Amino acid sequence: MTYVSEGRIASGCSVGAFIDRSGRAISGDVVVELMASMRDRATDLGAGYAGYGIYPDLKDFYALHIMYDSPTAQVRTEEMLRSRFAIKRDEVMPTRQVDSIHAAPLLRRYFVRPSHLALAESRLDEEDEFVRRTVMQINAGLEGAFVFSSGKNMGVFKGVGYPEEIAEFFRIGEYDAYCWIAHGRFPTNTPGWWGGAHPFSVLNWSIVHNGEISSYGINRRYLEMMGYRCTLMTDTEVMAYLVDLLVRRHGLPAYLACKVLAPPFWDEIDRMDEPDRQVYESLRIVYGSASVNGPFSIVCGYGRGMFGLNDRIKLRPMIAAEKGDMVYIASEESAIRAIEANPQRVWNPRGGEPVIAQLYEDVAV
Amino acid sequence: MKRYEMPPSFRLKIDRDLCVACKRCTDECGFGVLSYDHEAGRIKAEHARCVACHRCMVYCPQSAITVEADTHAYQQSAAWPVHLREQVYRQAATGGILLTAMGNAMQYESIFDRLVLDACQVTNPSIDPLREPMELRTYLGSRPDSLEFEQEGGYRLKTEVPPQIRLETPVLFSAMSLGALSLPVHKSLATAARTAGTFLNTGEGGLHEDLYPYAENIIVQVASGRFGVFDKYLRAAAAIEIKIGQGAKPGIGGHLPGEKVGDEVAATRMIPAGTDALSPAPHHDIYSIEDLRQLVFALKESVEYSKPISVKIAAVHNIAAIACGVARAGADIIQIDGFRGSTGAAPTIIRDHVGIPIEIAIAVVDQRLREEGLRNRVSLVAGGSIRSSADLAKAIALGADACAIGTAALIALGCRVCMKCYTGNCSWGITSQRPELYGRIDPHEGAERLVNLLRGWSLELKEILGACGVNSIESLRGSRMRLRGIGLDAQTLEILGVSAAGASC
Ligand code: SF4
Ligand code: SF4
């Protein structure tokens, strides 16, 4: 099993997500049903889920989901984890035997907190940044180990197989989340690697993506200049890092970050009134290398909410719907209707126009 | 007296049956090749003076003239190519430095010609520029790494973004001075720059009074000779450029022979007419990067930080480190001129043997600036042998923000690259200060041709972007994955940051 793919993998896919803005937890069975109806957009080559709110009892700990391709990789990684973290709980990931799924890596999860000493020695005053760097170091430097989930009170479950099979394997139905994000994959060549499936995730961020980034070359070089190392060679990795950079590190509001990824055309900007014109002109001047070109639809979870976004000329499908506290996003309307027969509103968001849905302000999770 | 001269390089064939002896060609030739032989009653040619500029051929109403290469034979020797033997003859006769013009004429292989571009199919679609918007707009200037906003009603920008210049297409006109060029050519360039939404660069010869109305589309240069530099000049311009070096003659100063310094040129440069305008090799106040910084900030101060300051440097071996220094010195734009960059006059030996290709220079500078976290601080302009929209696209994919064109613009005005600009005899009136010659350039017509060229290249660039599946130029910029090398050695590929053809993404 290789943990760094030889070449970059392009893919088409299905995406599906929903959130209950009141914070009510919804069983993973529902998101599995959503994805099952889009089976012909997926293949047996990769699927995954991200659930928010799934570890309420351990919500103050970073939940590290790690895959290993050998016991040696596990030993070496755990040595590193012990030197940096106080480990609250350490367990084998609960899974179920599924006939069609083979060659699963060793899967473990750890609930951790940075140790005071390691944090002080790192000279990083921010725990998130400390965790992010550690994750990057493991993924880039520790052969045979891959951290695929590292947020708090959330978790990513993914692997090589159809969405329903992966769900069964990871026992997704046993988790309850206020926000679910899911993906079924249709790659153009065989990755055969579990870490390459979606969602891609760092800290509380998770991202599922349908599309191929035609601006990959410059997006990647831009991220490298900003201190990221793209080890997976997947387009989605680039998307995830861009969101991390724009929102977490640069503090852009999610809406403006979307406008960096899929900027308005100059024609539109020229027609805007001040100070909007200045806002969008400067975003394009400063963040041109972070704009993502080529067909895409993405859904991105960020802890308290999610947003969906299309490329600016909408080259991939993405439908949104609303009913009560619920907001849905999926590649196909039929998938939404499979779990909500009577949505109050169904719409087809314009290219580059984000759909942002988050917990109501007074909801604590 | 022994005779050492070489046989002529070109020979004029005049078809006597077609020629009606109208004498038009005798006027057209700026080099005095053709005259009317009253005794014989026909046109005669002094072949040795011909530079193959084609003016006579193009303007002969009877199409009676053909300019041919003189096919005289030399004994073959790979060790002594003919041009080297001829250089020795000429130098033995004069004892001086041999002068020439235009760009490097040696047969170094073009790297552009060994790079190919990408196109999309199926997995990511190509985009049709006839049906979808395709954006070429480009800004040059220094950028902060991030932006801050505050929300009050809508979003408000809190960060101050340094001044930028805006190009509607990522091409500007290279620095070419009045003096090297004739005034009508400067007017053509200025008008075209305004129409196409781009910029003319004055070069080191100052800005003629007639061109002040175009100042919004003009970048003014401050070179080591400081010709024509004064308060109003700096204030009028859209941006100011400090010229450190030039691709055709890295390390040496400008040279405008006195014959080309007529009244207009003299007034604009603020020097007496008829004197040689020689700018020193280095700026006499710049002997280090700290000195450059002082000049950069002196200029910024003089215009109250209202416009970007560009620094033009020639591509030489250590260009990456030099460019980083220039970025740290406060430049907002770095313009790099490759070793094929042209000139109005330069020693042949320097033009042909000093410097490195622009493809390499852009690649290493863009990469080093990224490694040092400086890439946002400066915009990069590449010049020196941008010959087509393909070169333009490749230079941008290697990392340039925009490209500057000089020779291509002159060719659009009729230039035949005869390399005799320094003589002041340009038959096309482009680089001549003789009124009967420069009068041949009509600024309106010239501007139209230049605008056509820019439009043609821009349309082609849009096709290239569409084929690459992107709809704005910033998605190609620095995206070296869209390039593949054919027949380039491994080290060159590595330096370029480009994979060989056949390598997957
Ligand atoms: S120099 Fe030009 S115009 Fe004169 S004869 Fe030669 S080709 Fe004709
Ligand atoms: S500008 Fe005139 S003199 Fe110079 S190379 Fe072109 S045609 Fe020859």
Side-chain angles (χ1 to χ4, degrees):
Chain A
M1 195 191 304
T2 49
Y3 272 23
V4 176
S5 61
E6 307 286 296
R8 192 170 137 248
I9 298 151
S11 55
C13 312
S14 56
V15 300
F18 53 79
I19 182 171
D20 186 317
R21 289 173 288 186
S22 71
R24 190 175 52 102
I26 299 169
S27 159
D29 287 334
V30 180
V31 69
V32 178
E33 207 184 324
L34 174 80
M35 296 310 287
S37 72
M38 295 188 285
R39 189 174 167 102
D40 71 348
R41 302 187 70 88
T43 61
D44 58 357
L45 293 174
Y49 301 85
Y52 288 85
I54 60 171
Y55 298 133
D57 300 338
L58 290 158
K59 65 178 187 215
D60 297 329
F61 296 86
Y62 292 93
L64 304 182
H65 294 188
I66 307 186
M67 51 179 81
Y68 300 111
D69 71 353
S70 71
T72 330
Q74 182 179 343
V75 170
R76 290 174 52 212
T77 307
E78 288 183 348
E79 206 175 297
M80 177 167 175
L81 293 180
R82 275 193 300 271
S83 71
R84 300 193 180 194
F85 297 104
I87 301 174
K88 171 82 172 171
R89 186 167 352 144
D90 162 6
E91 63 194 13
V92 171
M93 189 82 90
T95 56
R96 184 183 293 131
Q97 187 64 40
V98 176
D99 284 350
S100 55
I101 290 184
H102 9 254
L106 301 170
L107 293 157
R108 286 192 80 85
R109 68 181 168 204
Y110 308 82
F111 293 88
V112 305
R113 246 184 192 157
S115 78
H116 295 304
L117 188 65
L119 195 60
E121 274 176 357
S122 71
R123 298 178 192 202
L124 294 171
D125 45 8
E126 224 209 318
E127 294 198 349
D128 276 359
E129 183 61 17
F130 178 82
V131 173
R132 188 189 69 85
R133 289 201 192 178
T134 305
V135 168
M136 290 242 171
Q137 273 166 21
I138 295 174
N139 291 354
L142 268 173
E143 214 186 306
F146 183 68
V147 185
F148 60 101
S149 187
S150 51
K152 285 179 180 171
N153 197 13
M154 63 82 69
V156 168
F157 308 89
K158 63 183 184 176
V160 176
Y162 269 104
E164 305 94 286
E165 294 156 359
I166 288 296
E168 204 184 333
F169 177 82
F170 279 107
R171 302 158 67 165
I172 292 298
E174 294 169 22
Y175 298 94
D176 299 320
Y178 59 85
C179 175
W180 280 105
I181 291 174
H183 189 257
R185 180 160 202 215
F186 199 140
T188 46
N189 53 9
T190 317
W193 180 50
W194 282 50
H198 301 201
F200 190 88
S201 179
V202 245
L203 300 171
N204 276 356
W205 294 93
S206 69
I207 193 159
V208 292
H209 167 232
N210 169 11
E212 181 170 340
I213 304 181
S214 305
S215 54
Y216 180 86
I218 184 55
N219 298 145
R220 177 182 170 162
R221 294 185 75 219
Y222 174 71
L223 285 167
E224 282 167 356
M225 181 169 84
M226 295 304 189
Y228 293 83
R229 287 183 62 187
C230 298
T231 50
L232 298 182
M233 305 276 286
T234 64
D235 291 3
T236 313
E237 179 188 34
V238 157
M239 274 290 188
Y241 291 162
L242 285 172
V243 171
D244 182 61
L245 173 79
L246 297 171
V247 181
R248 187 178 61 82
R249 282 176 55 196
H250 288 182
L252 294 187
Y255 183 80
L256 289 182
C258 288
K259 293 296 178 186
V260 168
L261 299 177
F265 286 95
W266 286 119
D267 275 357
E268 300 167 51
I269 295 175
D270 291 346
R271 284 196 301 269
M272 291 176 185
D273 293 327
E274 300 292 354
D276 277 351
R277 196 201 58 77
Q278 189 199 22
V279 165
Y280 292 99
E281 180 188 50
S282 57
L283 274 181
R284 288 197 68 173
I285 290 175
V286 171
Y287 288 112
S289 302
S291 72
V292 176
N293 223 311
F296 71 81
S297 67
I298 56 168
V299 181
C300 181
Y302 55 89
R304 287 192 63 84
M306 65 173 190
F307 63 80
L309 179 71
N310 266 135
D311 63 273
R312 57 197 193 140
I313 53 175
K314 194 144 181 150
L315 292 168
R316 287 285 152 95
M318 193 183 82
I319 303 289
E322 195 172 23
K323 171 140 188 184
D325 296 327
M326 298 294 296
V327 175
Y328 304 87
I329 298 174
S331 298
E332 292 182 11
E333 185 176 337
S334 59
I336 298 175
R337 290 193 185 270
I339 58 170
E340 175 48 70
N342 297 304
Q344 283 156 334
R345 182 159 88 100
V346 179
W347 74 102
N348 191 350
R350 280 181 37 217
E353 203 51 49
V355 177
I356 301 179
Q358 57 189 16
L359 297 171
Y360 302 128
E361 249 165 56
D362 53 350
V363 176
V365 286
Chain B
M1 164 89 189
K2 268 196 199 147
R3 297 193 54 162
Y4 293 96
E5 298 103 68
M6 297 162 289
S9 302
F10 307 103
R11 198 160 276 281
L12 291 172
K13 249 173 68 186
I14 301 170
D15 186 324
R16 301 292 171 189
D17 293 335
L18 291 175
C19 177
V20 292
C22 69
K23 309 187 193 99
R24 168 112 194 221
C25 58
T26 64
D27 290 339
E28 291 297 335
C29 184
F31 294 86
V33 176
L34 295 152
S35 56
Y36 184 66
D37 182 341
H38 286 275
E39 265 167 45
R42 60 186 211 165
I43 302 292
K44 75 171 185 206
E46 211 177 309
H47 303 290
R49 304 176 94 167
C50 177
V51 301
C53 74
H54 291 186
R55 183 79 192 187
C56 54
M57 208 164 95
V58 172
Y59 278 84
C60 172
Q62 292 292 100
S63 299
I65 305 182
T66 330
V67 183
E68 294 186 338
D70 197 314
T71 51
H72 52 270
Y74 277 88
Q75 188 61 263
Q76 292 277 341
S77 163
W80 278 97
V82 172
H83 78 274
L84 290 182
R85 289 180 232 184
E86 292 186 343
Q87 273 186 19
V88 172
Y89 297 133
R90 284 166 64 198
Q91 237 160 355
T94 63
I97 291 175
L98 297 177
L99 278 185
T100 187
M102 302 313 279
N104 198 320
M106 300 273 284
Q107 286 209 335
Y108 302 102
E109 226 167 313
S110 160
I111 294 176
F112 281 136
D113 293 343
R114 295 197 164 268
L115 292 172
V116 286
L117 287 154
D118 195 15
C120 290
Q121 293 177 93
V122 188
T123 56
N124 53 348
S126 49
I127 301 175
D128 187 343
L130 296 176
R131 293 176 173 79
E132 302 283 350
M134 211 37 91
E135 301 183 313
L136 300 182
R137 188 186 289 180
T138 298
Y139 288 74
L140 301 179
S142 178
R143 287 118 211 233
D145 278 333
S146 61
L147 290 175
E148 257 192 276
F149 295 90
E150 59 194 358
Q151 202 166 0
E152 29 166 287
Y155 296 106
R156 302 274 179 282
L157 181 66
K158 272 172 71 185
T159 316
E160 203 174 311
V161 178
Q164 310 280 320
I165 56 172
R166 181 174 118 188
L167 285 63
E168 293 305 337
T169 189
V171 190
L172 22 76
F173 296 124
S174 300
M176 294 183 283
S177 71
L178 178 68
L181 299 184
S182 61
L183 185 57
V185 173
H186 250 209
K187 286 183 179 162
S188 307
L189 289 166
T191 314
R194 166 173 292 180
T195 310
T198 183
F199 295 84
L200 148 78
N201 187 315
T202 60
E204 63 168 325
L207 183 61
H208 191 274
E209 254 186 23
D210 292 358
L211 292 178
Y212 273 85
Y214 296 87
E216 268 173 39
N217 293 87
I218 290 179
I219 300 170
V220 298
Q221 218 179 43
V222 174
S224 58
R226 299 286 195 275
F227 297 122
V229 177
F230 70 118
D231 187 51
K232 182 178 156 202
Y233 172 77
L234 298 177
R235 282 176 191 281
I240 303 173
E241 179 166 280
I242 300 171
K243 180 198 168 186
I244 298 292
Q246 171 180 359
K249 39 182 173 177
I252 68 176
H255 180 180
L256 186 69
E259 301 86 73
K260 291 181 80 172
V261 184
D263 290 341
E264 300 266 24
V265 172
T268 308
R269 292 201 176 215
M270 305 171 163
I271 56 171
T275 52
D276 283 353
L278 303 173
S279 41
H283 286 244
H284 283 324
D285 50 0
I286 301 180
Y287 286 88
S288 67
I289 203 80
E290 311 86 270
D291 293 346
L292 174 65
R293 187 180 173 80
Q294 292 195 348
L295 182 56
V296 168
F297 280 90
L299 291 171
K300 286 190 176 185
E301 284 286 339
S302 71
V303 294
E304 281 122 27
Y305 297 84
S306 62
K307 43 195 77 167
I309 305 292
S310 166
V311 172
K312 177 172 177 175
I313 48 181
V316 291
H317 306 342
N318 201 22
I319 186 71
I322 296 167
C324 285
V326 171
R328 289 210 167 84
D332 302 301
I333 301 168
I334 300 181
Q335 143 116 25
I336 307 176
D337 199 14
F339 80 154
R340 283 199 175 82
S342 284
T343 175
T348 312
I349 213 77
I350 301 283
R351 184 197 69 173
D352 288 354
H353 298 278
V354 179
I356 64 171
I358 188 62
E359 301 91 318
I360 299 276
I362 277 299
V364 298
V365 168
D366 174 66
Q367 184 57 29
R368 182 74 70 86
L369 288 171
R370 283 171 189 279
E371 283 161 14
E372 310 236 343
L374 294 168
R375 185 61 183 86
N376 287 343
R377 266 211 229 160
V378 280
S379 293
L380 281 185
V381 178
S385 77
I386 305 297
R387 305 156 302 172
S388 67
S389 57
D391 289 353
L392 177 63
K394 292 170 189 177
I396 289 173
L398 283 171
D401 287 284
C403 288
I405 56 166
T407 304
L410 300 191
I411 293 176
L413 298 175
C415 164
R416 292 301 197 262
V417 197
C418 74
M419 308 188 200
K420 290 291 178 288
C421 321
Y422 64 96
T423 63
N425 295 327
C426 178
S427 305
W428 295 88
I430 298 167
T431 54
S432 177
Q433 302 302 335
R434 286 160 53 188
E436 75 276 18
L437 296 180
Y438 70 64
R440 295 172 180 183
I441 300 273
D442 169 4
H444 293 289
E445 197 186 305
E448 199 181 303
R449 292 182 61 83
L450 290 164
V451 169
N452 283 343
L453 176 73
L454 292 178
R455 180 165 180 273
W457 282 21
S458 301
L459 290 172
E460 289 171 349
L461 191 55
K462 290 179 178 187
E463 293 287 342
I464 290 171
L465 289 181
C468 282
V470 299
N471 53 18
S472 66
I473 191 75
E474 56 255 50
S475 293
L476 180 66
R477 184 169 298 130
S479 198
R480 298 182 187 178
M481 270 178 41
R482 305 326 285 274
L483 296 171
R484 287 290 184 276
I486 294 185
L488 289 168
D489 64 86
Q491 194 180 7
T492 304
L493 284 171
E494 196 190 317
I495 289 169
L496 291 170
V498 168
S499 301
S504 60
C505 286

